[in-house]
Amino acid sequence: MSTEASSQRIDTDCAIVGGGPAGLMLALALLRHGIRVTVIEKHADFLRDFRGDTIHPSTQELLADLGLLDEFLALPHDDMERVTVSWQGVELVLADFSRLPTRRKVMTFMPQWDFLDLLADSASRHPGFTLLRETRIDGLIREDGRDGGRVTGVTGAGPDGDVTIRARLVVDASGRDSDIRTAAGLHPTGVAAAMDVLWFRLAKRDGETYPFIQAGSGMIITIDRGDFFQIAHVIPAGMWGGTDADLTIMKHRIGRISPRMADAVTAVATDDVHLLRVRLERLRRWFTSGMLCIGDSAHAMSPAGGVGINLAIQDAVAAARILGPVLRGGGAPTTRDLRRVQRRRSWPTRVTQFVQRRLQGPLIAERTPDAPLPLPLRLLRDHPRLTHLTGRFVGLGARPERFERIEPGV
C-alpha cells in the first residue's frame, strides 16, 4: 500500500499509464474492490498551470459516491451556478445548473493539482496501490514477446533505473500524445480543428476582476488563481507563430474583446504565451488485446466547456464497472470486455465532438461591434429554458456514469 515506489519489477492487476483525472479516478474505483493498481506518472507532481480547473456536477456526484465530497469541498474552490458570457459588454446565460438531479448544482473551479492530490491521497489509503512518479513508459510487454501478442505489461525508466510492470490489464490514460498508444498500433483519426488556444498569466491588480468568458470577435476565458489570472485566448488555428508580430496581433484582439484587459496584457511577452493546438480526434478502436485507452488517449477534445475532463472521468467509471468484476475474479479482460467499454462510451464521445465542431466557428469569428448575436446565443437569450438543457449537457454530459450499476449487456 505504498504511495510511491520505484521497484525494478512490479506485479499488479491493472497498470494505468497517466496520473490525470481519468487515471486516478479509475484507480480509485478499482481499489475499492480489492484490485491491485499501479499508476505511472511521468511528472514528479501535479503542478501544471495550463490545464483545466473545472469539476462538473456529475464529477462531484461521483466524489459523493466515493465518500470524498466533504474532503473535496474543504479545499479552496469557487462555485458557479450558471455559466455566463459577456458578449461585447452584454451578459448572457449559456448554461444553468439549477435544475440538475445532483447533490451539488454548480460547476466548481479548483486547481487541478489539488483535485489530483485528493484522488491520489485517497487511493493511497487502499492496500495494493502504487504510484510511480517521475517514471516514463517506453514500451509494451507482449505475451511470448510476439508482435501483436496480448499486452501483459509495460516497461519504463524511473528515478532509480529501469522499471518493469506486469499486469492483467494495461490502461492508457496518458493523453492525446500517447506513445504507448502508437506502440500498440492504435492511431486516431479526426477533423481539422478551426481554433487554437493561447494560455498566459496576468498579474492581479487591486480589486480587478474579469468575467469568466468574454466574447465578440474571438473569446477570452479568465480563471482566477488567487494571486494571478490564468487566461485562455481562443484564436483561429495556425494564427500563432510565436513572433513579436503575432504577439501584437494577439494583444490587439484581446483589446477589442475586452477593453478593460488591454492595459494588463501590455506586459505579456512572447515567452509568456503557451500554445495549445486544439485537436478533435478519436480512435476507431480503443483497445488491443490486454490494453484499453480512455480519456484524451481515446478521444482528444476541444477545451470548450472543460467537458473533456468530465468525459475522461466518465470513461474511467464505465471501465471500472465493466472490467472490475473480471479483474476482481482473477481473470484478464478479453477483447470482448474491452469492446463493451468502447461501446458504452463512444456515443457520448461522438455527440460531444459534434457539438464542439459546430461551436468552433462562432467562437473565433471576426465581428464588428455592431454585428448581431450569433443564432445560438439569440436562442438562449430569447428562450431561457434552453439554458437548463445546455446546463444538463455541460454539467452531466451526454451519458452520465455512476458507480452503482451498469446496464447488462451494454
Side-chain angles (χ1 to χ4, degrees):
M1 54 182 175
S2 60
T3 56
E4 295 187 342
S6 297
S7 175
Q8 291 295 313
R9 176 183 171 114
I10 296 174
D11 291 297
T12 190
D13 298 320
C14 181
I16 301 172
V17 183
L24 288 174
M25 185 64 78
L26 175 59
L28 258 179
L30 295 176
L31 288 162
R32 293 168 73 225
H33 298 290
I35 296 166
R36 297 174 302 164
V37 179
T38 298
V39 174
I40 307 103
E41 168 58 41
K42 65 182 178 181
H43 296 102
D45 54 43
F46 300 125
L47 293 171
R48 252 86 62 211
D49 269 349
F50 305 106
R51 63 193 329 173
D53 284 8
T54 52
I55 312 296
H56 292 68
S58 60
T59 298
Q60 295 178 63
E61 200 73 355
L62 293 170
L63 292 173
D65 290 345
L66 292 169
L68 295 177
L69 186 58
D70 289 342
E71 289 184 55
F72 170 78
L73 295 176
L75 297 171
H77 66 277
D78 293 302
D79 291 334
M80 181 180 290
E81 297 178 355
R82 301 184 303 171
V83 177
T84 61
V85 58
S86 176
W87 183 271
Q88 301 188 149
V90 178
E91 186 171 288
L92 301 166
V93 178
L94 298 180
D96 188 329
F97 306 122
S98 63
R99 296 185 183 176
L100 293 183
T102 53
R103 274 162 276 204
R104 302 199 77 236
K105 306 176 192 302
V106 294
M107 181 180 288
T108 296
F109 291 84
M110 176 183 292
Q112 194 176 109
W113 52 78
D114 287 341
F115 177 61
L116 295 179
D117 279 335
L118 170 68
L119 297 182
D121 289 346
S122 178
S124 70
R125 301 168 199 159
H126 293 265
F129 177 60
T130 302
L131 173 58
L132 299 179
R133 299 184 188 265
E134 294 185 90
T135 302
R136 289 185 173 270
I137 297 303
D138 56 22
L140 297 174
I141 303 171
R142 293 186 181 271
E143 194 171 49
D144 301 326
R146 296 180 291 110
D147 288 343
R150 178 183 177 84
V151 174
T152 58
V154 293
T155 60
D160 299 323
D162 294 339
V163 178
T164 299
I165 303 164
R166 296 274 183 176
R168 287 185 283 131
L169 172 67
V170 172
V171 176
D172 180 20
S174 61
R176 63 181 188 164
D177 296 315
S178 168
D179 291 327
I180 68 163
R181 180 184 65 185
T182 302
L186 302 174
H187 303 283
T189 59
V191 297
M195 64 184 191
D196 292 330
V197 179
L198 302 179
W199 290 96
F200 57 90
R201 290 185 178 192
L202 281 186
K204 263 193 173 180
R205 303 180 180 184
D206 290 342
E208 183 67 274
T209 61
Y210 300 107
F212 175 51
I213 302 175
Q214 299 174 86
S217 185
M219 187 171 72
I220 302 168
I221 298 172
T222 302
I223 300 173
D224 190 337
R225 290 289 200 191
D227 52 357
F228 68 91
F229 295 113
Q230 180 176 310
I231 306 297
H233 175 40
V234 180
I235 63 171
M239 185 176 179
W240 178 259
T243 67
D244 289 341
D246 294 328
L247 184 65
T248 299
I249 293 171
M250 181 198 83
K251 291 179 179 180
H252 176 70
R253 282 174 59 89
I254 288 175
R256 289 178 59 192
I257 300 167
S258 176
R260 289 172 47 203
M261 197 177 279
D263 288 342
V265 296
T266 57
V268 176
T270 304
D271 290 343
D272 298 326
V273 181
H274 299 254
L275 172 66
L276 171 65
R277 296 197 181 278
V278 175
R279 295 187 342 224
L280 278 173
E281 60 188 20
R282 62 178 178 267
L283 294 175
R284 293 186 183 277
R285 183 163 54 91
W286 296 18
F287 58 90
T288 189
S289 181
M291 175 176 151
L292 173 70
C293 297
I294 62 173
D296 278 3
S297 179
H299 44 72
M301 314 297 290
S302 160
V307 294
I309 298 172
N310 197 37
L311 207 65
I313 287 173
Q314 294 185 10
D315 287 352
V317 175
R321 291 188 312 194
I322 292 171
L323 305 178
V326 180
L327 292 169
R328 187 167 61 245
T334 65
T335 54
R336 182 180 179 183
D337 296 323
L338 303 179
R339 185 178 292 111
R340 288 182 63 205
V341 179
Q342 179 175 346
R343 288 177 57 195
R344 173 75 187 177
R345 298 303 305 159
S346 61
W347 180 80
T349 297
R350 292 195 302 270
V351 169
T352 305
Q353 289 188 332
F354 172 79
V355 172
Q356 290 192 328
R357 286 198 302 270
R358 297 299 296 267
L359 288 176
Q360 287 188 114
L363 290 177
I364 61 172
E366 295 281 351
R367 292 182 175 86
T368 60
D370 59 349
L373 281 173
L375 177 60
L377 293 183
R378 292 203 305 272
L379 290 172
L380 292 173
R381 179 197 63 188
D382 298 338
H383 305 280
R385 290 185 180 182
L386 292 177
T387 63
H388 296 290
L389 295 179
T390 54
R392 189 176 185 90
F393 180 78
V394 173
L396 297 183
R399 176 177 273 171
E401 301 288 350
R402 296 294 298 274
F403 284 114
E404 287 81 4
R405 62 185 177 83
I406 188 76
E407 291 83 347
V410 173

